[in-house]
């Protein structure tokens, strides 16, 4: 009886399990490497939707994008021990997803889509990615934003394939030039050049359709 009470006391004095939602990526990765399966679930929850949007906008096929995102997480789980913890986990997982999307596009000629900030103003180097949805907007504003998003999706399908990834990563995901260079395997000069050309092409295509 005394032994049981002591065991219960030890259990009640143990520190609470960490809430992974409160940890940054590096801490969650460390927990995952330590064998905590909940940590990998947290990584999936953090990146599943973001990667799906990214890959979908890169290949234009949602069902196939879901398959590729699943494959990306399989590779993350399989090769997490190789991840350089001195770097950002987000860059690594986006690199994996980007490579899968590139391979998919090599196997078929398809165009993805991309978001844009504004056409009639200069593109600022540090601008934030555009958000189409705003729950505080009036219904007519939300309708306009959804219409604009559909127009953008249709327009970006006409962009050259080699411009898409950098445009998606910058305008939708808000990645820095350095992160884009690492994810795509291009140097900074190539990233900036492709991004500028993609912006110019995008603007010239969509501007006639804007009010």
């Amino acid at each position: 009886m005394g032994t049981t009470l002591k065991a219960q006391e030890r259990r009640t004095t143990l520190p609470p399990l960490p809430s992974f939602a409160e940890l940054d990526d590096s801490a969650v990765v460390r927990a995952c490497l330590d064998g905590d399966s909940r940590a990998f679930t947290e990584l999936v929850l953090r990146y599943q939707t973001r990667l799906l949007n990214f890959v979908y906008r890169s290949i234009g096929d949602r069902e196939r994008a879901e398959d590729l995102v699943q494959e990306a997480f399989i590779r993350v789980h399989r090769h997490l021990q190789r991840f350089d913890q001195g770097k950002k986990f987000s860059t690594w997982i986006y690199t994996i997803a980007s490579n899968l999307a590139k391979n998919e596009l090599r196997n078929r000629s398809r165009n993805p889509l991309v978001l844009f900030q504004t056409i009639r103003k200069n593109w600022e180097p540090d601008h934030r990615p555009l958000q189409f949805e705003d729950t505080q907007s009036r219904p007519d504003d939300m309708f306009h934003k959804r219409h604009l998003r559909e127009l953008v999706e249709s327009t970006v399908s006409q962009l050259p394939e080699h411009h898409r990834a950098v445009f998606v990563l910058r305008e939708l995901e808000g990645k820095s030039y350095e992160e884009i260079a690492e994810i795509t395997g291009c140097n900074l000069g190539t990233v900036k050049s492709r991004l500028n050309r993609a912006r110019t092409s995008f603007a010239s295509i969509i501007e006639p359709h804007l009010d």
Side-chain angles (χ1 to χ4, degrees):
M1 181 67 176
T3 302
T4 302
L5 288 174
K6 289 181 180 179
Q8 289 176 345
E9 289 175 357
R10 284 198 298 271
R11 284 198 295 270
T12 57
T13 57
L14 288 175
L17 292 172
S19 172
F20 288 110
E22 300 174 357
L23 302 178
D24 60 18
D25 284 352
S26 60
V28 178
V29 167
R30 286 194 297 270
C32 190
L33 290 172
D34 288 340
D36 194 328
S37 61
R38 298 172 306 145
F40 185 75
T41 300
E42 175 65 23
L43 293 175
V44 172
L45 291 174
R46 289 186 183 189
Y47 286 95
Q48 187 172 39
T49 300
R50 293 159 61 182
L51 289 182
L52 178 58
N53 289 335
F54 167 60
V55 175
Y56 172 47
R57 288 174 169 83
S58 298
I59 67 173
D61 183 332
R62 192 169 188 84
E63 289 188 3
R64 183 60 181 147
E66 291 174 351
D67 293 338
L68 293 179
V69 170
Q70 183 177 10
E71 174 62 23
F73 281 115
I74 289 173
R75 294 189 181 192
V76 167
H77 190 271
R78 185 181 299 159
H79 302 298
L80 191 60
Q81 294 82 358
R82 303 180 187 176
F83 169 60
D84 182 354
Q85 295 187 55
K87 297 183 177 181
K88 293 179 67 173
F89 175 78
S90 61
T91 300
W92 185 58
I93 195 170
Y94 267 96
T95 301
I96 293 172
S98 178
N99 288 336
L100 289 170
K102 285 180 184 177
N103 291 337
E104 178 71 14
L105 288 172
R106 286 194 190 101
N107 295 332
R108 58 185 176 84
S109 284
R110 295 290 298 274
N111 292 330
L113 51 92
V114 135
L115 293 174
F116 78 110
Q117 175 105 9
T118 180
I119 297 305
R120 298 185 176 92
K121 295 182 180 178
N122 294 328
W123 298 87
E124 298 297 336
D126 59 348
H127 74 78
R128 299 179 63 184
L130 179 65
Q131 298 293 326
F132 278 106
E133 299 296 342
D134 181 357
T135 57
Q136 303 301 318
S137 297
R138 299 193 310 272
D140 56 336
D141 291 335
M142 295 185 69
F143 173 81
H144 175 73
K145 290 180 181 180
R146 291 192 182 102
H147 170 72
L148 184 60
R149 181 176 57 193
E150 291 172 0
L151 178 59
V152 169
E153 293 175 355
S154 174
T155 302
V156 180
S157 67
Q158 302 174 56
L159 289 176
E161 178 180 327
H162 57 286
H163 290 164
R164 296 170 194 157
V166 294
F167 205 15
V168 171
L169 288 167
R170 181 62 178 170
E171 307 310 332
L172 176 61
E173 303 294 337
K175 298 295 183 185
S176 69
Y177 292 127
E178 290 76 13
E179 288 177 304
I180 296 171
E182 185 170 354
I183 290 170
T184 61
C186 299
N187 60 46
L188 282 175
T190 300
V191 168
K192 293 179 181 179
S193 175
R194 290 183 177 180
L195 184 57
N196 287 334
R197 291 177 182 176
R199 286 167 170 170
T200 300
S201 298
F202 186 85
S204 65
I205 294 170
I206 200 174
E207 189 168 14
H209 303 283
L210 297 176
D211 295 332

